Amino acid sequence: MRKILVVGAGQSGLQLALGLLSEDYDVTLVDPRSPDDIRAGRVMSTQCLFGPALRRERRHGLAFWDDKAPEVNGVGVRVAARQGGPVPEVDWVGRLDEPARSVDQRIKLAAWLELFVQGGGRFLRHRVSREELEALGTEYDLVVVAAGRGELAEIFPRDTRRFHFREPQRRLALAYVSGGEEHPAGGVLSRTVVPDAGEAFTLPTLSLNGPCHAVMVEAVPGGPLDRPLAEGATGDDVLAGLLDVLRRYAPWEYERFSRARLADPMAALYGGYAPVVRDPVVRMRGGALVWGMADSVVANDPITAQGANMASLCADVYRRAIVDHGGRPFDEAFMRGAFNTYWYSARQVTAWSRVMLSGPPHVWELYRLAERHRPTADRFANSFSDPTGLIDWFLHPERALEYVDGVRRGTDLSSHLPTT
């Protein structure tokens, strides 16, 4: 039986570990947090899983929250007027072909970790250092690092050919809140764009105490949406800053959340990170190979809501590659080949994130078109499920403007008005 070590119990690491356990591999999972630690800890992110990722979880018996998590049936875009005002300049909702769902990772990861142990997996509650990876590489047939964007990811060199950001492009503030009102169109992942300043997101989600909403602001550092917090700031301080941003720059969202309160004492997060792409394979000093996956080697800004979805995809690609490889050695060629299969999709998200962060003029043209053309609004919404088609009409300025011109020439826009 082949021995595999997975370092990191996040979406990708746990999904991979559980998948390999079901294929009769000897799997050891290492993470410093127990299930109780995860449940009692701070919220880790927002996450919204779209159709393909949800289908993977159902296929592998991991979808425990379909009857509890609120459905997300659309993706909404609002653009604040540059001069401000009580109503957005652009306002539309695109409908998803398949409902999406959001589940607080504290619930999901704790339950999956317990399932892994119950299924016979070996769990070590421990924080692995770089030095320990040197030794561990000789004890297992394969070592996979799925430790997210933390310190251990630094062992993988940056790949500056694929991504060039060195600093965080947004400062993030997040709170899970109770007492908010639904979007006028129902279960919607809502995005308000404040030109040149950042974005505000709202999302129905399932958290520790039941259904609630996630509210997040992605502020351009130093811009008007950025509300730096002093050391020792509390969750209530994070929420107060979020509500102040909504009141000033997205009053239509403030109306929904003016009476909101934290869903639990640990339901707020503040910080930022630089998007990065890393080389997925590193050879340790002793000669052992270590393989990186998901956020450890491809970390995008959450502006495209793809983090958990890409982690799910990476886990699926790696599991299939490992199983299909049979008893052959897990050499560097194998690792790079499997990563390249994942990168085919991940590169589309990386390109999409870059475009969304920079906000080039053609994006505003597409937003304005979507307000008057239902198929464009729906096409954008369903790109969150499958971003690979974005290159044909959204990512490249010339293709985007050709698409806009083609729609305008061939369509009576008045018959396709999206409604919110």
Side-chain angles (χ1 to χ4, degrees):
M1 185 180 293
R2 308 200 80 178
K3 297 176 62 179
I4 296 178
L5 175 69
V6 179
V7 181
Q11 171 84 33
S12 63
L14 270 166
Q15 187 177 320
L16 177 63
L18 285 161
L20 293 175
L21 193 65
S22 71
E23 299 279 358
D24 295 325
Y25 286 81
D26 182 345
V27 186
T28 298
L29 181 66
V30 183
D31 194 277
R33 304 162 301 171
S34 70
D36 288 341
D37 293 333
I38 293 171
R39 288 191 188 92
R42 189 167 299 283
V43 66
M44 292 170 246
S45 66
T46 58
Q47 62 290 308
C48 185
L49 287 188
F50 296 89
L54 289 174
R55 279 185 265 122
R56 285 184 210 108
E57 292 189 357
R58 293 175 190 130
R59 188 165 60 244
H60 296 294
L62 301 176
F64 302 139
W65 301 279
D66 278 356
D67 61 342
K68 300 180 181 67
E71 286 191 351
V72 178
N73 295 301
V75 175
V77 171
R78 288 162 164 164
V79 179
R82 290 184 181 273
Q83 68 274 17
V87 296
E89 183 176 287
V90 173
D91 186 357
W92 52 265
V93 173
R95 292 298 173 185
L96 292 167
D97 292 340
E98 297 179 71
R101 284 182 171 83
S102 173
V103 177
D104 187 337
Q105 288 184 319
R106 294 176 295 177
I107 299 174
K108 175 183 285 189
L109 302 185
W112 280 7
L113 183 50
E114 289 171 342
L115 183 66
F116 175 77
V117 174
Q118 292 165 7
R122 185 183 182 209
F123 172 60
L124 301 179
R125 185 181 171 191
H126 181 64
R127 186 178 300 278
V128 176
S129 67
R130 179 181 182 132
E131 291 70 25
E132 287 175 299
L133 276 181
E134 301 271 359
L136 290 170
T138 64
E139 298 177 18
Y140 293 87
D141 297 298
L142 179 64
V143 175
V144 185
V145 170
R149 299 175 294 271
E151 180 181 345
L152 209 54
E154 298 292 332
I155 69 171
F156 300 100
R158 288 175 174 267
D159 187 342
T160 54
R161 298 169 304 156
R162 288 173 163 161
F163 218 50
H164 62 275
F165 290 130
R166 286 285 180 177
E167 302 294 334
Q169 300 302 293
R170 296 289 189 272
R171 197 178 317 269
L172 312 175
L174 158 69
Y176 281 34
V177 300
S178 301
E181 298 179 4
E182 287 294 338
H183 188 281
V188 170
L189 167 58
S190 177
R191 177 172 185 257
T192 290
V193 184
V194 182
D196 304 322
E199 301 82 20
F201 297 85
T202 66
L203 171 69
T205 189
L206 178 70
S207 191
L208 297 176
N209 295 317
C212 62
H213 285 85
V215 180
M216 181 172 71
V217 167
E218 288 213 354
V220 173
L225 271 63
D226 191 6
R227 295 288 190 273
L229 295 175
E231 185 176 351
T234 66
D236 287 328
D237 294 330
V238 175
L239 178 56
L242 286 168
L243 293 177
D244 185 53
V245 167
L246 296 184
R247 181 178 60 82
R248 292 170 179 265
Y249 299 98
W252 45 90
E253 296 289 13
Y254 181 74
E255 290 177 7
R256 296 173 54 203
F257 295 101
S258 61
R259 296 180 178 83
R261 61 190 182 280
L262 285 181
D264 66 80
M266 302 296 283
L269 188 66
Y270 177 79
Y273 61 89
V276 65
V277 176
R278 300 181 182 277
D279 192 301
V281 182
V282 63
R283 188 176 294 276
M284 308 303 283
R285 285 176 296 182
L289 293 172
V290 175
W291 194 21
M293 73 179 299
D295 277 3
S296 291
V297 289
V298 183
N300 288 303
D301 190 278
I303 195 168
T304 55
Q306 292 297 297
N309 294 274
M310 297 311 294
S312 169
L313 176 62
C314 189
D316 199 51
V317 168
Y318 277 26
R319 180 191 59 81
R320 291 182 186 180
I322 291 167
V323 173
D324 291 347
H325 202 59
R328 289 170 288 174
F330 294 116
D331 57 14
E332 184 171 349
F334 160 78
M335 294 178 180
R336 294 194 181 280
F339 174 80
N340 287 339
T341 300
Y342 169 63
W343 178 245
Y344 174 80
S345 296
R347 66 180 180 178
Q348 313 286 346
V349 174
T350 297
W352 187 17
S353 300
R354 186 185 298 116
V355 168
M356 298 292 272
L357 287 168
S358 58
H362 74 269
V363 171
W364 309 116
E365 288 296 316
L366 290 166
Y367 285 167
R368 284 189 282 269
L369 175 66
E371 187 174 40
R372 303 181 61 200
H373 187 237
R374 164 67 71 185
T376 297
D378 292 347
R379 188 176 187 183
F380 179 78
N382 285 292
S383 295
F384 286 78
S385 297
D386 181 9
T388 56
L390 285 166
I391 188 64
D392 297 330
W393 70 286
F394 192 93
L395 300 182
H396 193 276
E398 289 184 8
R399 292 180 185 175
L401 295 178
E402 287 175 2
Y403 172 81
V404 171
D405 289 342
V407 170
R408 287 174 174 165
R409 286 195 305 268
T411 306
D412 175 8
L413 294 179
S414 64
S415 65
H416 291 275
L417 295 177
T419 59
T420 58

